[in-house]
């Protein structure tokens, strides 16, 4: 299965800029379907970005984050060619992880 | 038909045998997927379930936030679609360890918060849902103190319920 995470990380002057797009419904639990049934909450709780085994960014998300969440962050200390690991886990215990190389 | 059932039975027996062997010999196969998944056990259920901006900041960080003009928020003043409102927060404050995004009129104010370890820039861009025209509050934890900035967003189409 193709990864649910698309990542682009670019290093420039010592600062790595990372953009990640995750495919996820992010259902809030407040929305009803056309038949009037509440769609149960289903959202990513935690997304981590790690470099050399150390977290450089941790996002704690609630159901108010948009569907197919987009995230951008910047950090220092990584160089071109380094590998980043991006992982998430949702409220139903599903998870996914991918690696990206800094360009 | 009978053959297929026999095959299934055999597979089951073989599988069980292997599992017993693995347990018996102390070789427990590791689940690689689980090993890389982040830990959501300390996800603050209460902070994410609190209405009201100030109450949520108190619940999440245990303190009150003071207004600061050092926080730059970049978000549209009019959002055509409340389901996808891009919010960018950047700050000139030193030693930032956390950033939180709150939507005042959502059922639960807290939308997201981010841990900023040392070496990571105090910058984040995220897309949020908001039900109606509302204030969006960015909270920044700098030197152990909480600071906040507020900007109003006019929502023409709600993000919840559509």
């Amino acid at each position: 299965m193709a990864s649910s995470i698309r990542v682009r990380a670019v290093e420039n002057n010592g600062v790595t800029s990372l953009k990640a797009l995750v495919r996820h419904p992010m259902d809030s639990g407040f929305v009803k379907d056309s038949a009037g049934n509440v769609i149960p909450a289903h959202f990513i709780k935690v997304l981590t970005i790690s470099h050399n085994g150390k977290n450089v960014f941790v996002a704690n998300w609630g159901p108010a984050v948009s569907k197919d969440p987009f995230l951008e962050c910047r950090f220092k200390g990584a160089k071109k060619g380094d590998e980043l690991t991006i992982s998430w886990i949702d409220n139903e215990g599903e998870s996914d992880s991918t690696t990206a190389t800094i360009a | 038909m009978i053959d297929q059932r026999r095959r299934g039975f055999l597979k089951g027996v073989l599988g069980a045998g292997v599992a017993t062997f693995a347990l018996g010999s102390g070789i427990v196969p590791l689940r690689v997927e689980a090993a890389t998944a982040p830990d959501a056990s300390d996800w603050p259920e209460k902070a994410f379930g609190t209405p009201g901006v100030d109450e949520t900041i108190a619940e999440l960080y245990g303190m009150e936030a003071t207004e600061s003009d050092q926080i730059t928020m970049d978000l549209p003043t009019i959002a055509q679609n409340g389901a996808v409102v891009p919010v960018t927060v950047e700050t000139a404050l030193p030693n930032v360890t956390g950033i939180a995004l709150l939507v005042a009129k959502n059922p639960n104010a807290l939308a997201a918060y981010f841990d900023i370890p040392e070496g990571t820039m105090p910058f984040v861009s995220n897309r949020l849902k908001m039900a109606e025209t509302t204030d969006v509050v960015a909270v920044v934890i700098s030197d152990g103190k909480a600071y906040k900035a507020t900007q109003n967003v006019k929502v023409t189409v709600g993000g919840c319920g559509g």
Side-chain angles (χ1 to χ4, degrees):
Chain A
M1 193 190 96
S3 174
S4 65
I5 313 170
R6 280 171 54 194
V7 192
R8 222 168 74 100
V10 180
E11 188 263 359
N12 212 343
N13 292 327
V15 177
T16 304
S17 168
L18 178 141
K19 288 178 184 167
L21 192 60
V22 186
R23 203 169 52 244
H24 198 280
M26 297 301 282
D27 288 317
S28 68
F30 292 106
V31 182
K32 287 178 184 155
D33 64 15
S34 50
N37 304 311
V38 171
I39 302 167
H42 186 200
F43 57 94
I44 295 174
K45 281 185 152 178
V46 182
L47 179 136
T48 59
I49 297 158
S50 67
H51 170 244
N52 283 341
K54 178 180 156 279
N55 279 347
V56 289
F57 197 86
V58 181
N60 297 274
W61 278 342
V65 172
S66 299
K67 182 186 171 190
D68 296 339
F70 166 83
L71 179 82
E72 184 178 355
C73 67
R74 296 171 186 163
F75 58 92
K76 289 178 189 166
K79 54 184 191 301
K80 284 188 206 304
D82 281 5
E83 209 164 75
L84 297 169
T85 306
I86 297 95
S87 329
W88 59 260
I89 186 161
D90 70 17
N91 65 325
E92 292 182 354
E94 288 171 33
S95 66
D96 198 6
S97 182
T98 193
T99 55
T101 310
I102 300 172
Chain B
M1 188 63 193
I2 291 165
D3 264 5
Q4 270 182 3
R5 239 188 273 163
R6 219 168 77 106
R7 201 131 299 273
F9 175 70
L10 276 170
K11 262 190 203 162
V13 168
L14 278 172
V18 169
T20 317
F21 166 76
L23 280 174
S25 60
I27 306 166
V28 181
L30 287 169
R31 279 191 56 208
V32 180
E33 268 174 69
T36 56
D39 183 15
S41 57
D42 53 1
W43 190 81
E45 204 79 44
K46 248 184 117 184
F48 274 105
T50 309
V53 170
D54 292 336
E55 293 84 343
T56 304
I57 297 172
E59 179 63 44
L60 184 62
Y61 293 119
M63 53 188 153
E64 271 180 39
T66 43
E67 295 281 345
S68 169
D69 56 2
Q70 300 290 304
I71 303 168
T72 316
M73 292 176 79
D74 185 13
L75 67 166
T77 44
I78 297 176
Q80 296 220 321
N81 183 357
V84 187
V85 181
V87 179
T88 302
V89 176
E90 200 165 4
T91 178
L93 292 164
N95 302 325
V96 173
T97 52
I99 296 178
L101 298 174
L102 290 82
V103 181
K105 281 198 189 160
N106 272 7
N108 300 315
L110 186 60
Y113 77 93
F114 310 95
D115 302 336
I116 313 284
E118 213 184 322
T120 300
M121 318 291 276
F123 166 92
V124 69
S125 186
N126 212 168
R127 289 175 187 163
L128 305 180
K129 288 184 264 198
M130 39 205 78
E132 52 184 317
T133 298
T134 175
D135 281 344
V136 175
V137 180
V139 180
V140 172
I141 305 302
S142 158
D143 274 331
K145 290 199 187 72
Y147 299 93
K148 66 176 177 182
T150 307
Q151 196 179 317
N152 190 266
V153 180
K154 268 196 171 50
V155 175
T156 46
V157 181
C160 301

